[in-house]
């Protein structure tokens, strides 16, 4: 478990102060895959680096498994840090050492017996699918393979927490998916809590259970990935969701929406899970005296669960349309007027 309590990080850059984190509160439960998303400069690196004290916070408190690292003795701190693995965008491998030695390094530093080191490294290289590369050097590996080495090294000390600092940003989409699947496997098989920072909503969609949106050092929105995708509350979260949902409404539909006089007839309906398949619209057409037009529709997958998005026009009497809206609200879907995001 990781908690951030009123965390502020201020950098003193010459004469100017930069507030990278501004009173951040966040709770990451044991076993979560928690994503923090934000644009460049939002404070993501500062946030993740405060967890293992690569950065010192200016105010507030960060705890990992109820321990405040700042309160520990040097010896206790070394032990606590072994419990926190980290992987990096640019892998941070030792180029002059083999894959085996890179993965073994944390154990060598702990002065573990040779045989124990060998067994553990072999096991880890098997786990990440690189047993045959043990004697290779990092520059003989692809980006995805380098990140696998980084992951194996991070797991060497059997941490309960894994910090991922833009771990897939330097990789192509296919390799990104393979690495994300590996992270999912680590979470499931070892029950390791994973904190990921990223600027890519695709990463959040693929593996995170929960997400926080960081903007100018503040958490502006947080919750389950489903909730944030279905009901983003802030403009920044809406933009991130749109970047992967491919649900942009065509301009021709916008024109139709802008032109209409009755303003309460066009709605966005968001479905997810099993309700995506429900014949909701045909039920509406049967039960109510309204005409139903689908103006636009898209469907995508969120963690292998279908997530649908429809723009619907209802034609009929206002009273009847209101009954339809009430009916839809009772189903497991989200409905809202489109006009507010037409701009
Ligand atoms: N060592 C530093 N000294 C001064 N300012 C810094 C330092 N590190 C970061 N900052 C500033 O703090 C703010 C947050 O930076 P941070 O790197 O945490 O953001 P980020 O979201 O990780 O961005 P990116 O995705 O570009 O890495 C930025 O305005 C940045 O310029």
């Amino acid at each position: 478990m990781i908690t951030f309590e009123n965390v502020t990080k201020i950098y003193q850059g010459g004469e100017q102060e930069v507030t990278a984190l501004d009173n951040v509160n966040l709770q990451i439960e044991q076993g979560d895959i928690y994503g923090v998303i934000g644009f460049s400069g939002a404070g993501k690196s500062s946030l993740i680096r405060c967890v293992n004290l690569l950065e010192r916070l200016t105010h507030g408190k960060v705890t990992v498994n109820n321990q405040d690292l700042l309160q520990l003795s040097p010896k206790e701190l070394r032990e606590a840090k072994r419990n926190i693995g980290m992987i990096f965008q640019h892998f941070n491998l030792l180029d002059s050492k083999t894959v085996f030695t890179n993965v073994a390094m944390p154990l060598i530093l702990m002065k573990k017996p040779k045989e124990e080191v060998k067994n553990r490294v072999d096991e880890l290289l098997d786990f990440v699918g690189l047993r045959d590369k043990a004697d290779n050097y990092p520059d003989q590996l692809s980006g995805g393979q380098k990140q696998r080495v980084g992951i194996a090294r991070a797991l060497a000390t059997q941490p309960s927490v894994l910090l991922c600092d833009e771990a897939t940003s330097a990789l192509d989409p296919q390799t990104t998916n393979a690495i994300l699947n590996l992270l999912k496997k680590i979470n499931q098989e070892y029950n390791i809590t994973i904190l990921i920072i990223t600027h890519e909503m695709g990463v959040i969609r693929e593996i995170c259970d929960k997400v926080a949106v960081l903007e100018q050092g503040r958490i502006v929105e947080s919750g389950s990935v489903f909730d944030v995708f279905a009901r983003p509350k802030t403009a920044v979260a809406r933009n991130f969701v749109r970047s992967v949902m491919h649900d942009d409404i065509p301009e021709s539909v916008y024109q139709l929406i802008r032109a209409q006089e009755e303003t309460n007839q066009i709605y966005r309906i968001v479905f997810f899970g099993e309700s995506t398949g429900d014949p909701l619209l045909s039920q509406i057409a049967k039960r109510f005296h309204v005409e139903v037009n689908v103006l636009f529709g898209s469907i995508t997958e969120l963690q292998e669960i279908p997530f649908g998005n429809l723009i619907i026009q209802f034609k009929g009497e206002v009273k009847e349309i209101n009954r339809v809206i009430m009916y839809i609200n009772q189903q497991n879907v989200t409905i809202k007027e489109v006009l507010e995001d037409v701009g």
Side-chain angles (χ1 to χ4, degrees), residues 11 18 20 39-46 166:
Y11 293 101
V18 179
F39 291 115
S40 181
K44 305 180 296 294
S45 299
S46 303
E166 296 278 6

Side-chain angles (χ1 to χ4, degrees), residues 252-285:
S252 56
V253 174
Y254 273 135
Q255 278 174 12
L256 199 64
I257 296 167
R258 288 192 194 101
Q260 70 174 347
E261 284 171 13
E262 285 284 341
T263 57
N264 60 351
Q265 294 186 339
I266 295 181
Y267 293 88
R268 181 192 289 271
I269 301 178
V270 177
F271 306 79
F272 51 86
E274 288 169 5
S275 58
T276 312
D278 279 354
L280 180 70
L281 299 183
S282 65
Q283 281 174 26
I284 290 169

Side-chain angles (χ1 to χ4, degrees), residues 17 22 67 88 121 198 223 228 251 276 295 313:
E17 284 189 343
D22 188 359
Q67 261 187 332
F88 304 87
V121 174
T198 182
V228 173
E251 183 52 34
T276 312
L295 299 178
Q313 181 178 41

Side-chain angles (χ1 to χ4, degrees), residues 9-14 16-21 37-49 55 89 165-166 197-199 214 216-217:
K9 170 72 192 172
I10 299 170
Y11 293 101
Q12 305 287 347
Q16 264 197 332
E17 284 189 343
V18 179
T19 303
L21 296 174
I37 190 159
F39 291 115
S40 181
K44 305 180 296 294
S45 299
S46 303
L47 180 100
I48 205 162
R49 292 164 68 88
E55 284 301 346
Q89 179 175 5
D165 184 354
E166 296 278 6
I197 59 161
T198 182
H199 63 277
L214 195 62
Q216 293 180 351

